[in-house]
Amino acid sequence: RRVPFAALAVLLALMAIGAALSSLLPVARQPQREGNGVARVAVRPAIAVLAFKNLSPADDRRWLDTAFAEMMTTDLAEGGALRVIRGEAVSQAWRSLALPDASGLSPADLKRLHGALGVNYVVVGAYLPLGGKMRLDLRVVQAPGGETVTSFADVGTEAELFDLVSRTGSKLRKSLEIAELSPQQIRE
């Protein structure tokens, strides 16, 4: 029995369309294998930046609490080496877990935050505006364990807030052994 020519043409056309569509799909990469045959999969560490704490008694700069956290979140997300949790997700988890002040996180609080967000690191920060200058303190805590991975401070003028956050983000990347941003990534 012979297959009609039209049916064969339709079958070939469908195969060609399928091949074209499959070339558009991302290729699944096999994990790299170590010498002993064990697969090694690169996993990006996850990090959450909490709202910064104003150490000044004045409330006129309260807006910087979230501004610093959002700028730091954006800075750390650049380059894709870290899986940075969005600020909204961090805030929502914070409220739903009814956590205390960020500066007083206990190991149990970090464990709950780790469970809610899947983070490996939590960035806790504070700032102090004084005499036209701004001091920015940063501490990175491992979750869920609670060990301080790194901490440092930087000072800049209030007019240089963006540079201050970029410098601090760069120090944070270096301390976590995350690749520095290229000049092109910084310009973008």
Side-chain angles (χ1 to χ4, degrees), residues 45-103:
I47 193 165
V49 181
L50 304 182
F52 281 49
K53 182 177 181 178
N54 181 0
L55 299 177
S56 168
D59 281 342
D60 63 334
R61 294 195 175 94
R62 202 97 172 124
W63 61 273
L64 288 171
D65 295 7
T66 53
F68 278 130
E70 289 298 325
M71 288 188 289
M72 187 62 64
T73 296
T74 302
D75 196 68
L76 292 175
E78 291 182 45
L82 293 168
R83 187 171 58 87
V84 181
I85 308 300
R86 292 183 352 256
E88 300 87 33
V90 173
S91 295
Q92 183 178 16
W94 193 266
R95 284 189 306 275
S96 69
L97 296 172
L99 294 172
D101 185 288
S103 61

